[in-house]
Amino acid sequence: MKQDTVLIIGANGQIGTALLPQLQHLYGYDRVIATDIRPSLQSTAIFETLDATDAAAIATIVKKYRITQIYHLAAVLSAKGETDPLWAWNLNMQTLLNVLEVARTYQIQKVFVPSSIAAFGEHAPKYETPQSTLLDPATVYGISKVAAENWSVYYHKRYGLDVRSLRYPGVISYQSMPGGGTTDYAVAIYHAAVQGLDFECFLAEDTLLPMIYMDDALRATLELMEAPAHQISVRTSYNLAGMSFTPAQVTASIQTYFPDFKTTYQPDFRQAIADSWPKSIDDSVARHDWGWKPAFDLPKMTHEMITHLTEIYHQVA
């Protein structure tokens, strides 16, 4: 086992829920501390309730457990953030700055701060969006992610803090329910199908967006964090790609298992958000620097999602 002690902030979220057991396997149960503002969703973890807007509270946990790595996963996502932009901005930025300051003060070895394809806007190339391009996001979530990328570079250059980041596409998983993101339809649609329900999609059927299956997202995260520092050439955030598909394509993929499954389309305010984002991502820099390569395409992901969700709903029944 590795000797680091890892703090997860936002452990109850979509990524945190799935990342926790991976980190426990890598570092050991006693060396992974899960935190969230809400009570723990998992009994198999050392858990502390934490309001990450309170820097002193973060520092207390860092000192108590002698933390050496922080995964800062707490954030208000794109669609939810648009319902109250100032609240979303204040929460996203205050928690980030608290984490960076505590990490600097207590000489944390590595910090992971996720970014998103929401950092891109209407003037970035839509297809094979490059690593370096204009960032003019259309949402407060995207604005906060661009700011986070720049703060990460600042803390690295000014203080030598080893901050690492990935621009996640839409992350699809069975481990937790959707959390307020624009790409969440691609999670909810599988839940509906497995329950024998039809699905009403809030995006148009031909809306092409970059996505990634959770297993690939977790592996990318851990591969990035385990890579030697000299291999990390990007200190803003690495482009990350898995696959791109439309609601119509994921519906067709599900219909290979449930032929009677149907999707209807009622685009809402999230359509404008999706239209501002890339349709596919160029992640060649990540592939070059630390050997990234996705393992899941749409058919393989659909098989995994349906298999696992069927097991979950049968257990509930």
Side-chain angles (χ1 to χ4, degrees), residues 2-215:
K2 297 175 178 291
Q3 293 306 302
D4 288 273
T5 303
V6 180
L7 172 63
I8 307 175
I9 298 174
N12 288 347
Q14 183 191 27
I15 293 175
T17 300
L19 183 62
L20 174 61
Q22 299 273 340
L23 288 171
Q24 288 174 325
H25 177 74
L26 190 60
Y27 293 101
Y29 176 89
D30 294 335
R31 291 189 173 274
V32 180
I33 314 304
T35 68
D36 204 287
I37 196 168
R38 298 163 290 156
S40 176
L41 299 177
Q42 303 180 69
S43 58
T44 57
I46 301 171
F47 183 86
E48 297 266 3
T49 301
L50 173 66
D51 179 354
T53 64
D54 184 348
I58 300 174
T60 296
I61 292 175
V62 165
K63 290 184 288 184
K64 177 179 178 180
Y65 293 100
R66 298 181 180 178
I67 298 296
T68 61
Q69 290 191 31
I70 298 176
Y71 286 73
H72 176 47
L73 306 178
V76 181
L77 300 182
S78 58
K80 188 175 181 181
E82 292 306 290
T83 65
D84 194 341
L86 293 183
W87 164 74
W89 168 262
N90 289 332
L91 190 147
N92 287 353
M93 295 313 301
Q94 189 60 63
T95 58
L96 168 76
L97 293 173
N98 287 348
V99 167
L100 293 177
E101 267 299 284
V102 169
R104 177 186 68 84
T105 302
Y106 294 94
Q107 299 182 318
I108 299 298
Q109 293 175 12
K110 294 179 190 174
V111 180
F112 180 74
V113 177
S115 188
S116 166
I117 60 167
F120 300 112
E122 63 176 324
H123 292 102
K126 294 298 184 188
Y127 291 92
E128 293 299 305
T129 306
Q131 176 65 52
S132 297
T133 188
L134 180 64
L135 302 177
D136 57 343
T139 63
V140 67
Y141 175 66
I143 294 168
S144 70
K145 287 304 182 185
V146 174
E149 291 187 16
N150 288 328
W151 274 113
S152 297
V153 171
Y154 182 85
Y155 269 76
H156 177 67
K157 290 183 176 178
R158 177 79 184 268
Y159 305 114
L161 186 63
D162 190 351
V163 190
R164 305 184 183 193
S165 181
L166 295 170
R167 289 175 182 149
Y168 288 122
V171 179
I172 302 171
S173 70
Y174 62 87
Q175 290 96 331
S176 62
M177 295 300 290
T182 300
T183 57
D184 279 351
Y185 88 84
V187 177
I189 194 170
Y190 287 104
H191 283 267
V194 168
Q195 294 177 83
L197 305 173
D198 290 338
F199 183 68
E200 183 176 286
C201 186
F202 54 74
L203 298 181
E205 61 182 324
D206 60 349
T207 306
L208 184 67
L209 287 171
M211 304 283 187
I212 192 167
Y213 186 52
M214 178 62 83
D215 286 16

